[in-house]
Amino acid sequence: MTALTEIANRFDILIGHNPDTLEAVLTHFDQTPLDRSTVRTCRHRDGTLAVKVIVERLAEDDARAIHDALKKNDRVMDARLEHFWP
């Protein structure tokens, strides 16, 4: 018997390292009823901040809506979305 697999979503986001930018970008994920499973950051020498956000059990339409909103955000330099099985 096979178990149901649920797809997780990984958002890779590149932002400038300003005091309120990370918090402002993470508000895009507050629109969903699910909590962010993982948020990791890595500061680069050039002053940018790479942010990885993993959200499990998020519908694909919701994931794509968040991705589109991130790409339109002036504080976001780059945003990528990947679906995977945890």
Side-chain angles (χ1 to χ4, degrees), residues 52-86:
K52 183 191 323 183
V53 180
I54 297 175
V55 182
E56 297 179 11
R57 299 182 310 273
L58 181 63
E60 184 174 348
D61 290 343
D62 293 334
R64 293 205 183 277
I66 291 171
H67 181 241
D68 289 342
L70 286 167
K71 289 172 68 175
K72 292 176 184 174
N73 188 322
D74 293 338
R75 298 177 182 202
V76 175
M77 298 174 175
D78 189 27
R80 297 176 188 212
L81 171 61
E82 178 182 350
H83 307 293
F84 69 97
W85 286 271

Side-chain angles (χ1 to χ4, degrees), residues 30-72:
D30 294 340
Q31 303 167 4
T32 66
L34 303 171
D35 292 332
R36 298 178 295 271
S37 300
T38 305
V39 177
R40 293 196 173 126
T41 61
C42 178
R43 186 175 181 182
H44 298 153
R45 287 185 183 188
D46 66 358
T48 58
L49 190 67
V51 182
K52 183 191 323 183
V53 180
I54 297 175
V55 182
E56 297 179 11
R57 299 182 310 273
L58 181 63
E60 184 174 348
D61 290 343
D62 293 334
R64 293 205 183 277
I66 291 171
H67 181 241
D68 289 342
L70 286 167
K71 289 172 68 175
K72 292 176 184 174

